[in-house]
């Protein structure tokens, strides 16, 4: 694993740093704990995020050396994500030890396993969270950022009014108890910040189905003289400049994370890398100032889009989670809280170089999971005439997918050789007691409702994390169980076919094999329901030893409502090996068949490994880089489609308003999407298998001499021509389509 440094490191760390938790986590093996190692875990992992209190003395946690086979003690604990359960039990055991400090936190009202159990102090809670590997990014003293799943049926989730009422009821109950909580709009999930000693009380509420660590989006990335991305030349954007296209009159929304902690925005504007104040709006819905999170990822994304569309206006949305992302889509598309359009969009193009490895089904529907509200907003934005783009993701080498195939002991086999351990970080040593987390998500096609309305989630699998060897041995081939996530999948309301963990290894996980500075980890999957046969999807935040690139799209890149962009090396147009591949999953998350694909993914490919001021020469890569290239080009193509729709305007007359209705805006947006895909199919841009394929999509977005004929064919085919002052019969329109399509394709 290459460890990045400086601000670039902080951006790279966001690649998969926070995946939520499954329902039962068991901690470190008791055989691997010692007074010294427990003390080191508490001291070294007490970095930012554990402010305000020192870790508890090692002696307080020593008696609870994290049992690898811990079990929930009641129904409320069975709803807790694994690391949360493990930390809760460890903290309570430490508080009950002789001489433990008295509670100073919010223990009132907490549900406890035994009558008269002592309340853990804030210091003990913090130490327990550290020892359980809960990432610092998700901790604030003894408070933990969590997702709370509503115990709602699919029918209730599909009724917006009912869903909102249930969410408001639970949020109100939690808020009255002093717990910060808000519903994720459109999803059966609440965001909350819960003290560890109140976690069981929260889980005990009747409207709660499950409590997991919060999931955050990934960046899809893998005052000098002005720097222009090489992707502009590689796209041959000058051919569009020759048509007078520069983005004027178009607004592009960039949804990302930004850095303005040291005046970066002003410096980029002064260097000519970002638009001036007249053409730039900065927005942040989360707490804190714009750019406060110190991520230069969005800075580079906007640099690229601006290079391609220098006369466009831009709105930069500084986001931290899926709530912010959905809110940004609604604002940019001018939608209300219920995704009803309020008129013209504020932006005609929306681009996001972000993604999640879990939170949806994978079939493009977005009908369940905590990302449902985001999918709903994107769908409404497209209907209102916005061209929405999303990075495909960088998950090809971090994904495994396939049918259930277990050995005699019930463990999934990853390959024909029958291996059941799948190495994380490609089998390299992973650092302990630092800022780096290991995360993995497992989900399968057993979602409630949908095409089979009677279906319930009752096919059960478990996800297990192992460490190779132990601190006192070298080169040991055996594996030590670190922990397991195994939630309830027994048909209960609100249950989902998902298991996930996010684990920051503490110091006492180090092995001699890794110079006592790290360890080698692997995952296993167990089938717990006899005879279950499903399509399993496994994602990790670092490369996995047995990977399957196909079907590795991140979310929401699987929806037909976005243009999904793959990554090519800018030097030779070779597909980047990490670029997530299609196809999207079949309905309900099943393995796709061999029939016609009505949701081809990805849609197109563009360039990575380019220069930006924010990252440096050749350093900005990933589908994060490819997507804003196409976003900037989409602004130019949309500008051309508007011109074609307006037609020839006599001198002294105003051009017709061809964006005055949602139907017209949608036709223009569809023609823009069509045009970009036509470019991918022509001019030597079809780089993979003939036609659409799951790696390059429809092909490379590089313009050729006959590109304008492709735009015109799309304008006639997608009914943009209906807005022209010139009226044509259907036969005349088809003749124009055929003529321009033939010219477009002559550049094969």
């Amino acid at each position: 694993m290459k460890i990045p440094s400086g601000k670039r490191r902080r951006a790279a760390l966001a690649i998969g740093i926070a995946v939520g938790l499954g329902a039962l986590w068991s901690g470190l093996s008791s055989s691997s704990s010692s007074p010294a190692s427990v003390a080191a875990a508490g001291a070294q992992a007490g970095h930012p995020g554990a402010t305000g209190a020192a870790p508890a003395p090692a002696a307080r946690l020593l008696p609870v050396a994290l049992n690898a086979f811990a079990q929930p003690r009641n129904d409320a604990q069975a709803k807790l994500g694994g690391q949360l359960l493990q930390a809760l039990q460890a903290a309570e055991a430490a508080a009950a030890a002789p001489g433990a400090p008295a509670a100073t936190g919010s223990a009132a009202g907490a549900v406890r396993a035994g009558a008269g159990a002592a309340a853990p102090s804030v210091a003990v809670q913090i130490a327990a969270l550290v020892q359980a590997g809960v990432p610092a990014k998700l901790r604030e003293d003894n408070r933990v950022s969590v997702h709370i799943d509503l115990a709602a049926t699919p029918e209730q989730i599909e009724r917006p009014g009912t869903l909102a009422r249930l969410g408001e009821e639970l949020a109100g109950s939690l808020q009255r108890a002093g717990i910060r909580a808000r519903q994720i709009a459109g999803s059966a999930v609440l965001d909350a910040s819960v003290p560890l000693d109140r976690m069981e009380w929260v889980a005990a509420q009747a409207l709660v189905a499950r409590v997991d660590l919060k999931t955050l989006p990934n960046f899809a990335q893998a005052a000098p003289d002005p720097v222009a991305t090489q992707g502009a030349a590689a796209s041959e954007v000058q051919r569009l400049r020759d048509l007078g296209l520069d983005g004027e009159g178009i607004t592009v929304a960039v949804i990302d994370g930004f850095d303005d902690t040291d005046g970066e925005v002003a410096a980029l504007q002064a260097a000519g890398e970002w638009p001036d104040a007249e053409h730039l709006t900065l927005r942040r819905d989360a707490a804190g100032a714009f750019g406060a999170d110190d991520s230069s990822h969005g800075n580079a994304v906007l640099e690229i889009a601006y290079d391609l569309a220098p006369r466009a206006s831009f709105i930069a949305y500084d986001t931290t989670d899926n709530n912010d992302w959905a809110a940004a889509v609604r604002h940019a598309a001018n939608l209300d809280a219920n995704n009803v359009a309020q008129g013209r969009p504020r932006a005609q193009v929306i681009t996001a170089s972000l993604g999640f490895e879990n939170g949806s089904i994978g079939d493009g529907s977005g009908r369940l999971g905590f990302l449902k509200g985001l999918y709903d907003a994107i769908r409404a934005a497209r209907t209102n005439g916005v061209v929405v783009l999303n990075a495909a993701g960088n998950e090809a080498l971090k994904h495994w997918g396939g049918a259930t195939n277990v050995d005699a002991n019930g463990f999934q086999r990853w390959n024909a050789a029958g291996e059941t351990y799948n190495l994380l970080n490609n089998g390299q040593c992973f650092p302990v007691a630092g800022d780096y987390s290991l995360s993995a998500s497992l989900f399968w096609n057993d979602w409630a409702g949908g095409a089979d309305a009677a279906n319930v989630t009752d096919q059960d699998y478990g996800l297990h994390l192992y460490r190779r060897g132990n601190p006192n041995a070298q080169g040991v081939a055996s594996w030590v169980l670190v922990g397991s996530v195994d939630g309830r999948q027994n048909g209960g309301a609100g249950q989902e076919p998902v298991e996930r963990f996010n684990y920051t290894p503490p110091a006492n996980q180090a092995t001699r094999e890794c110079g006592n500075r790290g360890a080698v980890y692997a995952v296993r999957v167990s089938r717990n329901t006899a005879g279950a046969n499903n399509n399993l999807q496994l994602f990790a935040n670092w490369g996995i030893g047995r990977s399957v690139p196909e079907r590795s799209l991140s979310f929401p890149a699987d929806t037909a409502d976005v243009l999904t962009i793959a990554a090519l090396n800018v030097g030779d147009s070779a597909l980047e090996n990490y670029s997530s591949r299609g196809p999207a999953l079949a309905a309900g998350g099943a393995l796709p068949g061999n029939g016609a694909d009505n949701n081809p993914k990805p849609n197109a490919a563009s360039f990575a490994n380019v220069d930006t001021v924010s990252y440096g020469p050749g350093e900005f890569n990933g589908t994060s880089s490819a997507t804003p290239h196409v976003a900037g080009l989409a602004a130019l193509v949309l500008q051309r489609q508007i011109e074609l729709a307006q037609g020839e305007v006599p001198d002294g007359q105003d051009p017709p308003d061809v964006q005055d209705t949602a139907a017209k805006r949608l036709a223009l947006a569809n023609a823009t999407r069509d045009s970009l895909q036509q470019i991918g199919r022509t001019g030597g841009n079809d780089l993979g298998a003939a036609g659409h394929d799951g790696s390059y999509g429809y092909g490379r977005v590089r313009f050729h001499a006959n590109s304008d004929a492709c735009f015109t064919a799309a304008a006639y085919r997608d009914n943009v021509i209906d807005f022209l002052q010139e009226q044509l019969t259907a036969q005349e329109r088809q003749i124009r389509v055929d003529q321009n399509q033939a010219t477009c394709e002559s550049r094969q």
Side-chain angles (χ1 to χ4, degrees):
M1 182 179 88
K2 181 180 179 181
I3 304 299
S5 61
K7 287 190 176 180
R8 193 173 306 152
R9 184 195 73 163
R10 287 189 284 275
L13 280 176
I15 303 174
I17 198 169
V19 178
L21 267 295
L24 176 68
W25 178 270
S26 53
L28 309 175
S29 167
S30 58
S31 64
S32 65
S33 298
S34 66
S37 63
V38 173
Q44 294 188 35
H47 41 62
T51 57
R60 303 301 180 207
L61 291 181
L62 182 59
V64 291
L66 305 192
N67 184 354
F69 302 99
Q71 296 291 324
R73 295 166 179 158
N74 52 48
D75 285 343
Q77 287 193 2
K79 299 179 186 178
L80 291 178
Q83 283 163 281
L84 299 178
L85 173 63
Q86 185 270 330
L88 176 70
Q89 291 187 354
E92 290 183 345
T104 56
S106 53
V111 177
R112 304 209 174 280
S121 69
V122 170
V124 167
Q125 293 174 58
I126 293 170
L129 290 168
V130 169
Q131 193 171 358
V134 175
K137 191 169 186 175
L138 300 178
R139 293 187 276 113
E140 179 187 355
D141 293 328
N142 65 325
R143 290 182 172 271
V144 187
S145 296
V146 297
H147 277 161
I148 301 174
D149 293 346
L150 281 168
T153 65
E155 292 77 15
Q156 290 172 324
I157 294 172
E158 291 169 3
R159 292 197 288 268
T162 301
L163 180 61
R165 178 181 58 78
L166 292 174
E168 290 169 2
E169 181 179 343
L170 179 57
S173 175
L174 298 177
Q175 291 163 2
R176 287 189 294 274
I179 292 171
R180 301 196 297 265
R182 62 172 181 169
Q183 185 176 11
I184 298 175
S187 298
V189 181
L190 274 66
D191 272 346
S193 178
V194 182
L196 180 61
D197 64 348
R198 302 299 303 279
M199 204 69 70
E200 188 173 341
W201 179 85
V202 169
Q205 303 308 299
L207 279 173
V208 172
R210 188 164 170 170
V211 184
D212 285 337
L213 287 187
K214 183 175 180 177
T215 300
L216 300 178
N218 305 332
F219 293 139
Q221 182 246 337
D225 292 333
V227 172
T229 170
Q230 298 96 320
S235 303
E236 297 199 28
V237 70
Q238 187 58 44
R239 296 186 185 278
L240 303 191
R241 297 275 187 269
D242 293 342
L243 297 173
L245 303 176
D246 53 15
E248 186 171 9
I250 306 298
T251 299
V252 179
V254 178
I255 300 175
D256 215 292
F258 293 87
D259 180 18
D260 195 26
T261 54
D262 295 313
E264 283 81 0
V265 170
L268 286 165
Q269 289 178 309
E273 300 293 342
W274 270 28
D276 58 28
E278 182 181 352
H279 296 88
L280 177 64
T281 302
L282 306 179
R283 282 188 61 89
R284 180 180 170 101
D285 290 330
F290 182 93
D293 292 336
D294 192 16
S295 167
S296 56
H297 185 270
N299 298 26
V301 167
L302 202 152
E303 280 188 61
I304 290 173
Y306 177 60
D307 278 347
L308 276 298
R311 296 293 298 277
S313 295
F314 289 84
I315 309 175
Y317 293 90
D318 190 15
T319 60
T320 61
D321 60 17
N322 54 296
N323 245 332
D324 299 340
W325 187 347
V329 172
R330 289 194 296 271
H331 183 269
N334 199 11
L335 310 172
D336 67 11
N338 296 313
N339 294 317
V340 177
Q342 303 300 293
R344 293 173 185 263
R346 294 181 174 90
Q348 293 77 42
V349 177
I350 295 176
T351 185
S353 289
L354 306 168
F356 291 85
E357 292 131 358
N358 64 83
S360 194
I361 299 172
D363 62 0
S365 68
R367 63 179 179 83
L368 290 172
F370 70 83
L371 294 178
K372 178 179 179 296
L374 175 59
Y375 278 79
D376 290 346
I378 290 172
R379 187 169 301 115
R382 183 183 180 187
T383 301
N384 201 28
V386 180
V387 181
V388 187
L389 301 96
N390 210 97
N394 300 339
E395 320 309 322
L397 303 180
K398 299 184 288 185
H399 164 265
W400 184 95
T404 305
N405 179 20
V406 298
D407 66 6
N409 296 314
F411 287 103
Q412 178 68 21
R413 292 179 282 208
W414 305 110
N415 58 12
E419 295 179 76
T420 64
Y421 292 90
N422 208 336
L423 294 170
L424 298 177
N425 195 33
N426 293 314
Q428 300 178 53
C429 292
F430 194 85
V432 302
D435 293 331
Y436 296 93
S437 296
L438 286 167
S439 62
S441 299
L442 174 73
F443 56 97
W444 57 97
N445 60 318
D446 190 34
W447 297 87
D452 179 6
N455 189 63
V456 295
T457 301
D458 59 2
Q459 305 294 295
D460 185 22
Y461 294 82
L463 178 62
H464 313 278
L465 177 66
Y466 288 79
R467 173 178 52 83
R468 187 163 64 194
N470 61 64
N472 301 311
Q474 184 175 9
V476 177
S478 62
W479 292 93
V480 177
L481 178 65
V482 174
S484 301
V485 285
D486 189 5
R488 285 183 175 177
Q489 281 95 24
N490 59 6
Q495 292 180 355
E496 295 180 343
V498 180
E499 302 293 353
R500 48 189 179 251
F501 66 77
N502 189 353
Y503 181 69
T504 299
N508 60 350
Q509 286 283 290
T511 63
R512 290 184 180 178
E513 177 186 11
C514 297
N516 291 322
R517 300 175 62 184
V520 175
Y521 293 89
V523 294
R524 297 176 95 189
V525 168
S526 62
R527 183 181 70 178
N528 303 329
T529 300
N533 185 16
N534 300 94
N535 174 34
L536 306 178
Q537 292 278 109
L538 175 72
F539 285 91
N541 63 334
W542 301 98
I544 59 177
R546 299 300 176 189
S547 60
V548 174
E550 291 75 24
R551 306 178 298 280
S552 58
L553 297 168
S554 63
F555 303 138
D558 62 317
T559 175
D561 294 306
V562 302
L563 279 170
T564 301
I565 309 303
L568 309 174
N569 177 46
V570 72
D572 57 8
S573 290
L575 183 73
E576 293 285 89
N577 62 358
Y578 53 74
S579 185
S580 289
R581 319 291 165 82
L585 301 182
L591 276 167
N594 296 321
D597 189 353
N598 60 3
N599 179 24
K601 291 292 173 182
N603 297 93
S606 191
F607 302 107
N609 308 319
V610 300
D611 297 352
T612 62
V613 168
S614 300
Y615 272 65
E619 287 290 321
F620 195 51
N621 55 33
T623 55
S624 278
S625 169
T627 305
H629 281 98
V630 183
L633 296 170
L636 307 188
V637 175
L638 178 58
Q639 182 183 6
R640 181 58 175 157
Q641 291 297 339
I642 292 171
E643 291 177 353
L644 291 171
Q646 290 171 337
E648 295 294 331
V649 180
D651 291 342
Q653 293 187 19
D654 292 330
D657 187 353
V658 297
Q659 301 179 74
D660 60 341
T661 68
K664 292 180 179 179
R665 293 191 293 269
L666 178 58
L668 288 163
N670 285 342
T672 300
R673 291 169 56 108
D674 187 352
S675 297
L676 292 167
Q677 293 177 164
Q678 284 292 315
I679 295 302
R681 285 193 280 252
T682 58
N685 289 324
D686 189 356
L687 301 179
H692 183 273
D693 63 73
S695 298
Y696 300 88
Y698 285 106
R700 174 182 54 194
V701 182
R702 184 188 69 180
F703 296 95
H704 52 72
N706 292 344
S707 293
D708 200 35
C710 304
F711 306 157
T712 305
Y716 283 91
R717 179 169 44 248
D718 294 325
N719 296 323
V720 173
I721 195 67
D722 290 343
F723 311 147
L724 285 170
Q725 293 175 324
E726 176 190 13
Q727 297 298 310
L728 299 176
T729 66
Q731 182 179 12
E732 290 171 329
R733 184 184 298 116
Q734 188 60 49
I735 291 172
R736 298 285 181 88
V737 170
D738 293 342
Q739 290 174 340
N740 284 281
Q741 188 65 35
T743 303
C744 171
E745 293 179 358
S746 68
R747 292 290 301 178
Q748 288 288 352

